[in-house]
Amino acid sequence: MNARLLPIALLALTAAAHAQVATIFQKSSDWGSGFTGQLTITNRGASDVTNWSLSFTLPATISSIWGAKIASHSGTTYVLTPESWSQRIGANGGSITIGF
């Protein structure tokens, strides 16, 4: 798998919480005209992160997503918000995975 950091910004977090969150992108398959990828958000802080949103730009459009909802997008820049079951990212290493 190709793991790399994307130009990703976590929004709606306090400055302290933002500093404690890591986001990693992995491309799990690529067939030339498209790919399957996932974003893993890990909370390294001592407090839960809740009601998060995530903003990033991809080199392609998202046609299907799970683990989050597309709140808005302009071209290939997206803002994601959590599903009801992915709103909380637990403290001290808790994580969620968003696939598309």
Side-chain angles (χ1 to χ4, degrees), residues 7 15 19 29 33-34 37 40 46 48 55-56 63 74 77 82 87:
S29 64
S33 62
T40 301
D48 291 354
S55 174
F56 59 95
S63 60
S74 176
T77 298
Q87 289 182 2

Side-chain angles (χ1 to χ4, degrees), residues 9-46:
L10 284 167
L11 309 173
L13 300 174
T14 65
H18 185 252
Q20 299 298 318
V21 176
T23 306
I24 296 176
F25 170 76
Q26 291 182 311
K27 187 186 290 186
S28 52
S29 64
D30 188 330
W31 54 91
S33 62
F35 64 90
T36 301
Q38 65 183 34
L39 292 165
T40 301
I41 305 169
T42 303
N43 179 5
R44 296 181 179 155

